[in-house]
Coordinates of all heavy atoms in Angstrom, one line a residue:
Q85 N 6.5 -74.7 -130.1 CA 6.0 -74.4 -131.5 C 7.0 -73.6 -132.3 O 7.1 -73.8 -133.5 CB 4.7 -73.5 -131.3 CG 3.9 -73.4 -132.6 CD 3.4 -74.7 -133.1 OE1 3.2 -75.7 -132.4 NE2 3.1 -74.7 -134.4
A86 N 7.8 -72.8 -131.7 CA 8.9 -72.1 -132.5 C 9.9 -73.1 -133.0 O 10.4 -72.9 -134.1 CB 9.6 -71.1 -131.6
R87 N 10.2 -74.2 -132.3 CA 11.1 -75.2 -132.9 C 10.4 -76.0 -134.0 O 11.0 -76.4 -135.0 CB 11.6 -76.1 -131.8 CG 12.6 -75.5 -130.9 CD 13.2 -76.5 -129.9 NE 12.2 -76.9 -128.9 CZ 11.9 -76.3 -127.8 NH1 12.4 -75.1 -127.5 NH2 11.0 -76.8 -127.0
R88 N 9.1 -76.3 -133.8 CA 8.3 -77.1 -134.7 C 8.1 -76.3 -136.0 O 8.3 -76.9 -137.1 CB 7.0 -77.5 -134.1 CG 6.8 -79.0 -134.2 CD 5.5 -79.4 -133.6 NE 5.7 -79.8 -132.2 CZ 4.8 -79.5 -131.2 NH1 3.7 -78.8 -131.4 NH2 5.1 -79.9 -130.0
E89 N 7.5 -75.2 -135.9 CA 7.1 -74.4 -137.1 C 7.4 -72.9 -136.8 O 6.5 -72.1 -136.5 CB 5.6 -74.5 -137.3 CG 5.1 -75.9 -137.7 CD 3.6 -75.9 -138.0 OE1 3.2 -75.4 -139.1 OE2 2.9 -76.4 -137.1
P90 N 8.6 -72.5 -137.0 CA 9.0 -71.1 -136.7 C 8.3 -70.1 -137.6 O 8.1 -69.0 -137.1 CB 10.5 -71.1 -136.9 CG 10.8 -72.3 -137.7 CD 9.8 -73.3 -137.4
G91 N 7.9 -70.5 -138.8 CA 7.2 -69.5 -139.7 C 5.7 -69.4 -139.5 O 5.1 -68.6 -140.1
A92 N 5.2 -70.3 -138.6 CA 3.7 -70.2 -138.4 C 3.3 -69.0 -137.6 O 4.1 -68.5 -136.8 CB 3.3 -71.5 -137.7
E93 N 2.2 -68.4 -138.0 CA 1.7 -67.2 -137.3 C 1.3 -67.5 -135.9 O 0.5 -68.3 -135.6 CB 0.5 -66.6 -138.1 CG 0.1 -65.3 -137.7 CD -0.9 -64.7 -138.6 OE1 -2.1 -65.0 -138.3 OE2 -0.5 -64.0 -139.5
A94 N 1.9 -66.7 -135.0 CA 1.6 -66.9 -133.5 C 0.6 -65.9 -133.1 O -0.4 -66.2 -132.3 CB 2.9 -66.7 -132.7
V95 N 0.7 -64.6 -133.5 CA -0.2 -63.5 -133.0 C -0.5 -62.6 -134.2 O 0.4 -62.3 -135.0 CB 0.6 -62.7 -131.9 CG1 -0.3 -61.6 -131.4 CG2 1.0 -63.6 -130.8
R96 N -1.7 -62.3 -134.3 CA -2.1 -61.3 -135.4 C -3.0 -60.3 -134.7 O -3.9 -60.6 -133.9 CB -2.9 -62.0 -136.5 CG -3.5 -61.0 -137.5 CD -4.2 -61.7 -138.6 NE -3.4 -62.4 -139.5 CZ -2.6 -61.8 -140.5 NH1 -2.7 -60.5 -140.6 NH2 -1.9 -62.5 -141.3
G97 N -2.8 -59.0 -135.1 CA -3.6 -57.9 -134.6 C -3.8 -56.9 -135.6 O -3.4 -57.1 -136.8
E98 N -4.3 -55.8 -135.3 CA -4.6 -54.7 -136.2 C -3.2 -54.1 -136.6 O -2.6 -53.4 -135.8 CB -5.5 -53.7 -135.6 CG -5.9 -52.6 -136.6 CD -7.0 -51.7 -135.9 OE1 -7.9 -52.2 -135.3 OE2 -6.8 -50.5 -136.1
G99 N -2.8 -54.4 -137.8 CA -1.5 -53.8 -138.3 C -0.3 -54.6 -138.0 O 0.8 -54.1 -138.2
F100 N -0.4 -55.8 -137.4 CA 0.8 -56.5 -137.1 C 0.5 -58.0 -137.1 O -0.6 -58.5 -137.0 CB 1.4 -56.2 -135.7 CG 0.6 -56.7 -134.6 CD1 0.9 -57.9 -134.0 CD2 -0.4 -55.9 -134.0 CE1 0.2 -58.4 -132.9 CE2 -1.1 -56.4 -132.9 CZ -0.8 -57.6 -132.4
A101 N 1.5 -58.8 -137.4 CA 1.5 -60.3 -137.3 C 2.9 -60.7 -136.9 O 3.9 -60.1 -137.2 CB 1.1 -60.9 -138.7
L102 N 2.9 -61.7 -136.1 CA 4.2 -62.2 -135.6 C 4.2 -63.7 -135.6 O 3.3 -64.4 -135.2 CB 4.3 -61.7 -134.1 CG 5.7 -61.8 -133.4 CD1 6.7 -61.0 -134.2 CD2 5.6 -61.3 -132.0
T103 N 5.3 -64.3 -136.1 CA 5.5 -65.7 -136.2 C 6.0 -66.3 -134.9 O 6.5 -65.5 -134.0 CB 6.5 -66.1 -137.3 OG1 7.8 -65.6 -136.9 CG2 6.1 -65.6 -138.7
F104 N 5.8 -67.6 -134.7 CA 6.3 -68.2 -133.5 C 7.8 -68.0 -133.4 O 8.4 -67.7 -132.3 CB 6.0 -69.7 -133.4 CG 4.6 -69.9 -133.0 CD1 3.6 -70.2 -133.9 CD2 4.3 -69.9 -131.6 CE1 2.3 -70.4 -133.5 CE2 3.0 -70.1 -131.2 CZ 2.0 -70.4 -132.1
G105 N 8.6 -68.1 -134.5 CA 10.0 -67.9 -134.4 C 10.4 -66.5 -134.0 O 11.3 -66.2 -133.2
G106 N 9.6 -65.5 -134.6 CA 9.9 -64.1 -134.3 C 9.5 -63.8 -132.8 O 10.2 -63.0 -132.2
L107 N 8.4 -64.3 -132.4 CA 8.0 -64.1 -131.0 C 9.0 -64.7 -130.0 O 9.4 -64.1 -129.0 CB 6.6 -64.7 -130.8 CG 6.0 -64.7 -129.4 CD1 5.9 -63.2 -128.9 CD2 4.7 -65.4 -129.3
H108 N 9.4 -65.9 -130.3 CA 10.4 -66.6 -129.4 C 11.7 -65.8 -129.4 O 12.2 -65.6 -128.3 CB 10.6 -68.0 -130.0 CG 11.4 -68.9 -129.1 ND1 11.1 -69.2 -127.8 CD2 12.6 -69.5 -129.4 CE1 12.0 -70.0 -127.3 NE2 12.9 -70.2 -128.2
A109 N 12.2 -65.4 -130.6 CA 13.5 -64.6 -130.6 C 13.3 -63.3 -129.9 O 14.2 -62.9 -129.1 CB 13.9 -64.4 -132.1
A110 N 12.3 -62.6 -130.2 CA 12.1 -61.2 -129.5 C 11.9 -61.4 -128.0 O 12.5 -60.6 -127.2 CB 10.9 -60.5 -130.1
S111 N 11.2 -62.4 -127.6 CA 11.0 -62.6 -126.1 C 12.3 -63.0 -125.4 O 12.6 -62.6 -124.3 CB 9.9 -63.6 -125.8 OG 10.2 -64.9 -126.3
N112 N 13.1 -63.8 -126.1 CA 14.5 -64.1 -125.6 C 15.3 -62.9 -125.4 O 16.1 -62.7 -124.5 CB 15.2 -65.1 -126.5 CG 14.7 -66.5 -126.2 OD1 14.1 -66.8 -125.1 ND2 14.9 -67.4 -127.1
R113 N 15.3 -62.0 -126.4 CA 16.0 -60.7 -126.3 C 15.6 -59.9 -125.1 O 16.4 -59.4 -124.4 CB 15.9 -59.9 -127.6 CG 16.7 -60.4 -128.8 CD 16.8 -59.5 -129.9 NE 15.5 -59.2 -130.5 CZ 14.9 -59.9 -131.4 NH1 15.5 -61.0 -131.9 NH2 13.7 -59.5 -131.9
W114 N 14.3 -59.8 -124.9 CA 13.7 -59.1 -123.8 C 14.1 -59.8 -122.5 O 14.5 -59.1 -121.5 CB 12.2 -58.9 -123.8 CG 11.8 -57.8 -124.7 CD1 11.3 -57.8 -125.9 CD2 11.9 -56.4 -124.3 NE1 11.0 -56.5 -126.3 CE2 11.4 -55.6 -125.4 CE3 12.4 -55.7 -123.2 CZ2 11.4 -54.3 -125.4 CZ3 12.4 -54.3 -123.2 CH2 11.9 -53.6 -124.2
A115 N 14.1 -61.1 -122.4 CA 14.4 -61.8 -121.2 C 15.9 -61.6 -120.9 O 16.3 -61.3 -119.7 CB 14.1 -63.3 -121.4
R116 N 16.8 -61.6 -121.9 CA 18.2 -61.4 -121.7 C 18.4 -60.0 -121.1 O 19.2 -59.8 -120.2 CB 18.9 -61.5 -123.0 CG 19.9 -62.6 -123.0 CD 20.8 -62.7 -124.3 NE 20.6 -61.7 -125.3 CZ 20.0 -61.9 -126.4 NH1 19.4 -63.1 -126.6 NH2 19.9 -61.0 -127.3
Y117 N 17.7 -59.0 -121.7 CA 17.9 -57.6 -121.3 C 17.4 -57.5 -119.8 O 18.1 -56.9 -119.0 CB 17.1 -56.7 -122.2 CG 17.0 -55.3 -121.7 CD1 18.2 -54.5 -121.7 CD2 15.8 -54.7 -121.2 CE1 18.1 -53.2 -121.3 CE2 15.8 -53.4 -120.8 CZ 16.9 -52.7 -120.8 OH 16.8 -51.4 -120.3
L118 N 16.2 -58.0 -119.5 CA 15.7 -57.9 -118.2 C 16.6 -58.6 -117.1 O 16.8 -58.0 -116.1 CB 14.3 -58.5 -118.1 CG 13.2 -57.7 -118.9 CD1 11.9 -58.5 -119.0 CD2 12.9 -56.4 -118.2
R119 N 17.1 -59.7 -117.5 CA 18.0 -60.4 -116.6 C 19.3 -59.6 -116.4 O 19.9 -59.6 -115.3 CB 18.3 -61.9 -117.0 CG 17.0 -62.7 -116.9 CD 17.2 -64.2 -117.2 NE 18.1 -64.8 -116.3 CZ 17.8 -65.2 -115.0 NH1 16.6 -65.0 -114.5 NH2 18.7 -65.9 -114.3
S120 N 19.8 -58.9 -117.4 CA 21.0 -58.1 -117.2 C 20.7 -56.9 -116.3 O 21.6 -56.4 -115.7 CB 21.4 -57.5 -118.6 OG 20.6 -56.5 -119.0
L121 N 19.4 -56.6 -116.1 CA 19.1 -55.5 -115.1 C 18.8 -56.1 -113.7 O 18.5 -55.3 -112.8 CB 17.8 -54.8 -115.6 CG 17.9 -54.0 -116.9 CD1 16.6 -53.5 -117.4 CD2 19.0 -52.9 -116.8
G122 N 18.9 -57.4 -113.6 CA 18.7 -58.0 -112.3 C 17.3 -58.6 -112.1 O 17.0 -59.0 -111.0
V123 N 16.5 -58.6 -113.1 CA 15.2 -59.1 -113.0 C 15.3 -60.6 -113.0 O 16.0 -61.2 -113.8 CB 14.3 -58.7 -114.2 CG1 12.9 -59.4 -114.2 CG2 14.1 -57.2 -114.2
G124 N 14.6 -61.2 -112.0 CA 14.6 -62.7 -111.9 C 13.3 -63.1 -111.2 O 12.3 -62.3 -111.0
R125 N 13.3 -64.3 -110.6 CA 12.2 -64.8 -109.9 C 11.7 -63.9 -108.8 O 12.6 -63.4 -108.0 CB 12.5 -66.2 -109.3 CG 11.4 -66.9 -108.7 CD 11.8 -68.3 -108.3 NE 12.4 -69.0 -109.4 CZ 11.8 -70.0 -110.0 NH1 10.6 -70.3 -109.8 NH2 12.5 -70.6 -111.0
G126 N 10.5 -63.6 -108.8 CA 9.9 -62.7 -107.7 C 9.9 -61.2 -108.0 O 9.4 -60.5 -107.3
A127 N 10.6 -60.8 -109.1 CA 10.6 -59.4 -109.4 C 9.3 -59.0 -110.0 O 8.6 -59.7 -110.7 CB 11.7 -59.1 -110.4
V128 N 9.0 -57.7 -109.8 CA 7.8 -57.1 -110.3 C 8.2 -56.2 -111.5 O 9.1 -55.4 -111.3 CB 7.0 -56.3 -109.3 CG1 5.8 -55.6 -110.0 CG2 6.5 -57.2 -108.2
V129 N 7.7 -56.4 -112.7 CA 8.0 -55.7 -113.8 C 6.8 -55.0 -114.4 O 5.8 -55.6 -114.6 CB 8.6 -56.6 -114.9 CG1 8.9 -55.8 -116.2 CG2 9.9 -57.3 -114.4
G130 N 6.9 -53.7 -114.5 CA 5.8 -52.9 -115.1 C 6.0 -52.8 -116.6 O 7.1 -52.5 -117.0
V131 N 4.9 -53.0 -117.4 CA 5.0 -52.9 -118.8 C 4.0 -51.9 -119.3 O 2.8 -52.0 -118.9 CB 4.8 -54.2 -119.5 CG1 4.8 -54.1 -121.0 CG2 5.8 -55.3 -119.1
L132 N 4.4 -50.9 -120.0 CA 3.5 -49.9 -120.5 C 3.7 -49.8 -122.0 O 4.5 -49.1 -122.5 CB 3.7 -48.5 -119.9 CG 2.9 -47.3 -120.3 CD1 1.4 -47.6 -120.1 CD2 3.3 -46.1 -119.7
L133 N 2.8 -50.6 -122.7 CA 2.9 -50.6 -124.2 C 1.5 -50.7 -124.7 O 0.6 -51.2 -124.0 CB 3.6 -51.9 -124.6 CG 5.1 -51.9 -124.5 CD1 5.7 -53.3 -124.9 CD2 5.8 -50.9 -125.4
G134 N 1.3 -50.2 -125.9 CA 0.0 -50.3 -126.5 C -0.1 -51.7 -127.1 O 0.8 -52.5 -127.0
R135 N -1.3 -52.0 -127.6 CA -1.5 -53.3 -128.2 C -0.6 -53.5 -129.4 O -0.5 -52.6 -130.2 CB -3.0 -53.5 -128.6 CG -3.9 -53.5 -127.4 CD -5.3 -53.6 -127.8 NE -6.1 -53.6 -126.7 CZ -7.4 -53.5 -126.7 NH1 -8.0 -53.5 -127.8 NH2 -8.1 -53.5 -125.6
G136 N 0.0 -54.6 -129.5 CA 0.9 -54.8 -130.7 C 1.8 -56.0 -130.4 O 1.8 -56.6 -129.4
A137 N 2.6 -56.3 -131.4 CA 3.6 -57.4 -131.3 C 4.5 -57.2 -130.1 O 4.8 -58.2 -129.5 CB 4.3 -57.5 -132.6
G138 N 4.9 -56.0 -129.9 CA 5.9 -55.7 -128.8 C 5.3 -56.1 -127.5 O 6.1 -56.7 -126.6
L139 N 4.1 -55.9 -127.2 CA 3.5 -56.3 -125.9 C 3.6 -57.8 -125.7 O 3.9 -58.2 -124.6 CB 2.0 -55.8 -125.9 CG 1.3 -56.2 -124.6 CD1 1.9 -55.5 -123.4 CD2 -0.2 -55.8 -124.7
H140 N 3.3 -58.6 -126.7 CA 3.3 -60.0 -126.6 C 4.8 -60.5 -126.3 O 5.0 -61.3 -125.5 CB 2.8 -60.7 -127.8 CG 1.3 -60.4 -128.0 ND1 0.3 -60.8 -127.2 CD2 0.7 -59.6 -128.9 CE1 -0.8 -60.3 -127.6 NE2 -0.6 -59.6 -128.7
A141 N 5.7 -59.9 -127.0 CA 7.1 -60.3 -126.9 C 7.6 -59.9 -125.5 O 8.3 -60.7 -124.8 CB 8.0 -59.7 -128.0
V142 N 7.3 -58.7 -125.0 CA 7.8 -58.3 -123.7 C 7.1 -59.1 -122.6 O 7.8 -59.6 -121.7 CB 7.4 -56.8 -123.5 CG1 7.7 -56.4 -122.0 CG2 8.3 -55.9 -124.4
T143 N 5.9 -59.4 -122.7 CA 5.2 -60.2 -121.7 C 5.8 -61.6 -121.6 O 6.2 -62.1 -120.5 CB 3.7 -60.3 -122.0 OG1 3.1 -59.0 -122.0 CG2 3.0 -61.2 -120.9
L144 N 6.1 -62.2 -122.7 CA 6.7 -63.5 -122.7 C 8.1 -63.4 -122.2 O 8.6 -64.3 -121.5 CB 6.7 -64.1 -124.2 CG 7.1 -65.5 -124.3 CD1 6.1 -66.5 -123.5 CD2 7.0 -65.9 -125.8
G145 N 8.8 -62.3 -122.6 CA 10.2 -62.1 -122.1 C 10.2 -61.9 -120.5 O 11.2 -62.4 -119.9

Side-chain angles (χ1 to χ4, degrees):
Q85 191 64 23
R87 285 188 294 279
R88 231 182 267 142
E89 293 182 77
E93 189 173 89
V95 182
R96 173 180 289 283
E98 191 173 310
F100 74 90
L102 194 59
T103 65
F104 278 99
L107 177 60
H108 188 60
S111 65
N112 279 339
R113 285 191 299 273
W114 275 107
R116 244 189 357 262
Y117 172 70
L118 291 167
R119 290 187 65 77
S120 76
L121 296 175
V123 171
R125 187 176 305 258
V128 176
V129 177
V131 176
L132 178 61
L133 286 174
R135 294 178 182 171
L139 178 62
H140 299 289
V142 170
T143 302
L144 191 59

